Amino acid sequence: MKKTNLIILLVILIGGGTYLGYLSQLGTTAEASTLTAPSVLPDFTLNDINGEPKSIHQLAGSKPTLYVYFNSTCHLCQEELGLISKRIDEFKDYNLIFTTVEPVGEMIGFVTGLGIKDKGFVNFLLDAEMKVASYYQIKSVPSIFVYDAKKQLVAEYVGITDIDLLLEKLASGK
């Protein structure tokens, strides 16, 4: 009897752990009533990967903006940015701003490998002093924020998020 109980307990623990691992791989959607990110796109000035200071508001302009906080060593970030890069032409009517705390030397290869750094609507910024991370209270990456043309928050996600959903939210923000 003890052996059977032990086997059942072991199966439950392994199954539960597997299920929790699966859930951690999925992007979580924050509904409009539970949005916790700043309701207006913050206007920080950060250096881009070429060392030039850039204003987030100026980069966003008057287009819906996808703002992604990431880390190039994070496998979830690698997957999310890889998925975006494969469908980059579908984002041409929007502005994409990717921000990280990493030093430029650590991420330049990753950014180059994506093949999207030379797109006019794609920007990579370095949050060297963690100003943006602190302001957003980033706890997990990728953290994804969709802002409309008036720089108002439309949606926020953590983890891998469906590209069609991101495009849909951006389109709703025109």
Side-chain angles (χ1 to χ4, degrees):
M1 188 69 169
K2 288 182 182 181
K3 190 174 185 179
T4 303
N5 288 343
L6 183 60
I7 291 173
I8 291 172
L9 179 61
L10 188 59
V11 168
I12 290 171
L13 288 174
I14 291 172
T18 302
Y19 181 69
L20 289 175
Y22 169 76
L23 289 178
S24 72
Q25 298 292 317
L26 298 176
T28 55
T29 304
E31 297 300 324
S33 61
T34 62
L35 296 175
T36 59
S39 61
V40 177
L41 181 66
D43 190 21
F44 288 97
T45 297
L46 304 172
N47 287 342
D48 66 11
I49 58 175
N50 299 314
E52 299 292 322
K54 302 287 181 177
S55 159
I56 293 174
H57 270 206
Q58 287 178 334
L59 294 175
S62 58
K63 292 182 178 180
T65 300
L66 182 68
Y67 190 84
V68 180
Y69 207 93
F70 77 102
N71 184 307
S72 69
T73 62
C74 160
H75 73 281
L76 296 176
C77 298
Q78 292 168 359
E79 185 172 340
E80 184 71 29
L81 272 66
L83 292 169
I84 290 171
S85 70
K86 287 179 184 173
R87 295 179 59 183
I88 196 65
D89 291 334
E90 295 177 61
F91 288 91
K92 70 180 182 296
D93 295 330
Y94 314 109
N95 286 312
L96 281 63
I97 303 172
F98 299 99
T99 303
T100 185
V101 299
E102 294 174 271
V104 68
E106 291 182 24
M107 64 163 289
I108 196 75
F110 173 71
V111 169
T112 302
L114 290 172
I116 62 174
K117 76 178 181 111
D118 296 324
K119 301 280 185 183
F121 58 93
V122 177
N123 297 279
F124 289 90
L125 302 177
L126 305 171
D127 186 21
E129 297 174 13
M130 297 187 69
K131 292 178 186 175
V132 176
S134 182
Y135 185 76
Y136 273 99
Q137 298 180 8
I138 300 292
K139 293 177 179 70
S140 183
V141 289
S143 289
I144 303 169
F145 309 94
V146 179
Y147 288 92
D148 66 15
K150 295 178 182 174
K151 300 176 180 61
Q152 298 295 310
L153 184 65
V154 173
E156 65 180 284
Y157 308 95
V158 175
I160 296 173
T161 305
D162 182 69
I163 303 302
D164 290 326
L165 177 60
L166 295 176
L167 289 164
E168 175 187 320
K169 292 297 184 179
L170 284 164
S172 74
K174 286 187 175 182

